[in-house]
Amino acid sequence: MYPEYFSVRMRAAEGKAHELGGKHISGGERLCDHSQLGAIATELLAKASNHTRGSADFIQLVVEKVPSEQLQFIPPLDVSAIEVATVQEGHDKAKDQLAAAGVSERAIEHAFFILNHERNLRGAAIVNCETGERLDDREQKGVRVSRMDWNDGGQVEDSVRVREALALATKVAHSPYTVAELCWSDDPDYVTGYVSSQQLGYVRISPLKKMGCESGGRVFFVHNDVDIDSYMNFLERKPVFIQGGDSE
């Protein structure tokens, strides 16, 4: 008999709920068994209540049972890092990595435009890797990758932030439709971002933005033949455990 697992999801906004125009403050995703529910719920509520983007006055916590027989176990992406002196150098390195993964210049420039100008993108934008067209119709809501966690409780030798990002990037890269991902945080105090793909691994690049800047988010580059509904269903609904591994 399979053990019971639960998806625990948090989102927080300032002013009002996200769908009513509130400013996105924080989000979080965990998978756990019943014995961990209380501790993880407390952890996510603390994350929502202490964030540099602002003071949340709307916090939503959702707990949902996950069919254990649907769980998939995958290895984490390999991790590497690039340190540069300026944001422009960081952007240049990220663009080189994306081009190496097979993303066109047009698509790269559109992705950078999205992340440089968006200050309330709650989920990811999905962009055609050749044409640069945005394929999801979610606008600021974007596509929220959900139902993933570390099978060993996240025992990776790095920060909670990196563990969470690496788990998400690993799930995204595992889809055959994904070509690459570009991400930097909308947290004004965090300037490191990454490029990832099955081919490249998880490449941390710092800096990718200036300190104090609240723009940021994620862009997923996909193949021309993407089945967009199937792709978004995998990202949002498929439960995935990452099978341990060490980050650098």
Side-chain angles (χ1 to χ4, degrees):
M1 184 172 179
Y2 292 103
E4 288 187 335
Y5 288 100
F6 296 84
S7 167
V8 187
R9 307 187 295 279
M10 176 275 292
R11 62 180 182 135
E14 184 179 62
K16 58 187 77 173
H18 297 86
E19 56 269 23
L20 298 178
K23 176 185 176 182
H24 176 64
I25 297 298
S26 181
E29 301 277 345
R30 296 295 304 273
L31 276 179
C32 66
D33 61 31
H34 191 275
S35 68
Q36 299 171 301
L37 275 176
I40 285 177
T42 299
E43 174 187 312
L44 290 175
L45 288 172
K47 179 182 179 181
S49 302
N50 299 279
H51 203 283
T52 55
R53 277 181 60 82
S55 178
D57 44 27
F58 170 86
I59 302 174
Q60 182 181 65
L61 192 70
V62 176
V63 179
E64 184 179 6
K65 186 180 289 186
V66 170
S68 299
E69 65 274 12
Q70 295 181 11
L71 275 167
Q72 187 171 359
F73 295 81
I74 59 178
L77 296 174
D78 292 333
V79 178
S80 60
I82 298 174
E83 298 283 340
V84 294
T86 68
V87 172
Q88 184 58 57
E89 288 180 80
H91 285 191
D92 291 344
K93 292 293 186 182
K95 291 176 180 180
D96 288 345
Q97 294 288 321
L98 290 169
V103 183
S104 74
E105 182 178 356
R106 176 183 295 182
I108 291 170
E109 292 304 324
H110 188 202
F112 271 84
F113 178 84
I114 292 171
L115 297 192
N116 278 320
H117 292 85
E118 184 54 69
R119 286 172 169 76
N120 206 30
L121 184 62
R122 308 193 301 273
I126 299 176
V127 170
N128 184 297
C129 75
E130 294 184 17
T131 68
E133 177 188 1
R134 183 167 177 181
L135 301 178
D136 66 283
D137 58 358
R138 303 285 186 84
E139 297 182 344
Q140 287 189 326
K141 180 181 178 181
V143 178
R144 180 170 175 173
V145 184
S146 185
R147 295 166 174 81
M148 69 282 171
D149 210 331
W150 291 89
N151 187 39
D152 59 2
Q155 295 174 4
V156 182
E157 295 176 2
D158 218 319
S159 69
V160 171
R161 185 193 297 270
V162 174
R163 291 201 303 267
E164 291 176 348
L166 179 55
L168 186 151
T170 297
K171 179 178 179 180
V172 172
H174 193 73
S175 168
Y177 293 124
T178 301
V179 175
E181 175 186 353
L182 170 67
C183 170
W184 66 77
S185 174
D186 57 9
D187 185 336
D189 290 346
Y190 194 72
V191 300
T192 300
Y194 66 85
V195 171
S196 61
S197 74
Q198 284 283 26
Q199 171 191 349
L200 300 170
Y202 177 86
V203 185
R204 300 183 68 201
I205 303 173
S206 186
L208 275 181
K209 71 172 193 177
K210 293 181 179 179
M211 185 69 71
C213 176
E214 291 193 359
S215 67
R218 290 182 166 87
V219 175
F220 304 152
F221 301 94
V222 295
H223 290 288
N224 265 325
D225 63 352
V226 63
D227 179 330
I228 195 67
D229 292 331
S230 174
Y231 185 58
M232 291 195 295
N233 184 69
F234 170 79
L235 297 177
E236 295 179 328
R237 305 292 303 178
K238 179 65 176 178
V240 169
F241 268 130
I242 314 302
Q243 290 272 50
D246 295 332
S247 69
E248 297 174 359

